[in-house]
Amino acid sequence: MRAGTGWDLHRLVKGRPLMIGGVEIPHSHGSEAHSDGDVLVHALIDALLGALAAGDIGHLFPPSDEEWRDASSLDLLKLTLHYIEGYRVINIDSTIILEEPKLAPYIEKIRSSLATSLDLRLEQISVKAKTAEGLLPGAIVAQVVVLLSKC
Ligand code: MG
């Protein structure tokens, strides 16, 4: 068994899409980023790589590389699976910290999106959301823990 953690933060800016776990959430603001700024998928990629001490997202997909401009984070996630070959995901637990909008209506869609991308069952993926009590109005944060097992 190998455990990994991932953490990511993006600044929220007006007029950008708000992508979370491959789902576009209707909102006035979205992540400022080189790619689509999907904070949850970025933290998940770091957790998967971290579990096998295989580096991090910035090392694999450097922001300086034009190839990854506006890249779909789900595509990056699929590429990341090559780096964990020989292991399978037991479970994923995640927390998104965001002041608004409320994510409750989108949680199941986000879980389904990740399950489809990773070929996992819904019960293997937990997505939780909370606010920062008004202290983090200009940002979105995601924290992820994964457990991997050798195939
Ligand atoms: Mg990021």
Side-chain angles (χ1 to χ4, degrees):
M1 298 277 209
R2 306 279 301 208
T5 74
W7 187 93
D8 194 28
L9 177 150
H10 281 259
R11 188 187 299 272
L12 292 173
V13 292
K14 208 175 167 71
R16 283 275 305 175
L18 181 59
M19 297 297 296
I20 303 178
V23 175
E24 185 168 350
I25 312 289
H27 192 52
S28 57
H29 289 60
S31 294
E32 185 174 58
H34 186 68
S35 67
D36 65 6
D38 193 321
V39 71
L40 178 57
V41 173
H42 293 179
L44 175 55
I45 289 171
D46 264 354
L48 291 167
L49 294 172
L52 296 183
D56 62 36
I57 187 170
H59 171 78
L60 250 61
F61 311 110
S64 56
D65 190 337
E66 277 303 309
E67 190 177 349
W68 311 121
R69 177 174 289 283
D70 293 324
S72 153
S73 294
L74 286 183
D75 288 345
L76 303 185
L77 178 61
K78 284 173 190 160
L79 290 172
T80 302
L81 295 181
H82 295 298
Y83 292 82
I84 62 161
E85 253 172 26
Y87 284 80
R88 63 193 173 90
V89 175
I90 301 293
N91 75 304
I92 295 168
D93 186 18
S94 65
T95 305
I96 300 155
I97 301 153
L98 179 66
E99 301 297 355
E100 58 174 12
K102 293 284 179 231
L103 294 182
Y106 308 104
I107 293 289
E108 292 312 307
K109 217 172 166 184
I110 294 169
R111 290 176 70 210
S112 295
S113 165
L114 294 178
T116 302
S117 292
L118 296 170
D119 199 20
L120 295 174
R121 299 185 311 279
L122 274 183
E123 64 263 30
Q124 291 174 282
I125 301 174
S126 158
V127 177
K128 311 184 298 295
K130 61 197 303 174
T131 72
E133 300 285 340
L135 294 173
L136 206 62
I140 179 169
V141 172
Q143 182 179 33
V144 176
V145 173
V146 300
L147 187 63
L148 305 183
S149 171
K150 230 172 189 157
C151 292

